[in-house]
Amino acid sequence: PLPHRIRQYRKLRGLSQEQLAYAAGVAKRTLVYVEDVDSSEITMPSLRVIWRLARALDVDVRDLFGPKPKPKP
C-alpha cells in the first residue's frame, strides 16, 4: 500500500519524516498521516501531496503504487 511505499522510499533515502516533509513542502503532520496505514485507508492523500512526495523522494508517482523499492546503485 501507499503508506508503506512512502515510508520505504523515505528510509531508503535516509530521510526523517521532518526532512521529507520539508523537501516536499508539506506539513510534517501531513506526512505522518499519510504514512499511517489506518488513517490512509480511510482517506487517500490528495494527488498534489502524492506528487510532491514522489518528487522529493526522486521517484515516479507510479513507483509509490508499484513493487517494493530497490536501493539505487
Side-chain angles (χ1 to χ4, degrees), residues 2-70:
L2 180 65
H4 293 288
R5 290 290 176 262
I6 292 172
R7 187 178 307 112
Q8 287 171 337
Y9 276 111
R10 178 177 59 78
K11 290 183 176 185
L12 202 61
R13 304 291 188 267
L15 298 171
S16 67
Q17 287 181 323
E18 188 172 282
Q19 290 169 320
L20 177 56
Y22 180 80
V26 300
K28 181 183 173 194
R29 69 180 174 271
T30 300
L31 179 58
V32 169
Y33 184 80
V34 169
E35 284 191 354
D36 180 18
V37 176
D38 293 333
S39 63
S40 296
E41 288 179 359
I42 296 169
T43 306
M44 183 73 139
S46 71
L47 290 176
R48 184 177 190 175
V49 168
I50 293 170
W51 182 81
R52 286 179 171 208
L53 291 170
R55 188 177 63 181
L57 290 166
D58 192 30
V59 298
D60 190 281
V61 170
R62 292 173 291 189
D63 294 334
L64 296 179
F65 296 92
K68 186 176 181 176
K70 296 176 185 171

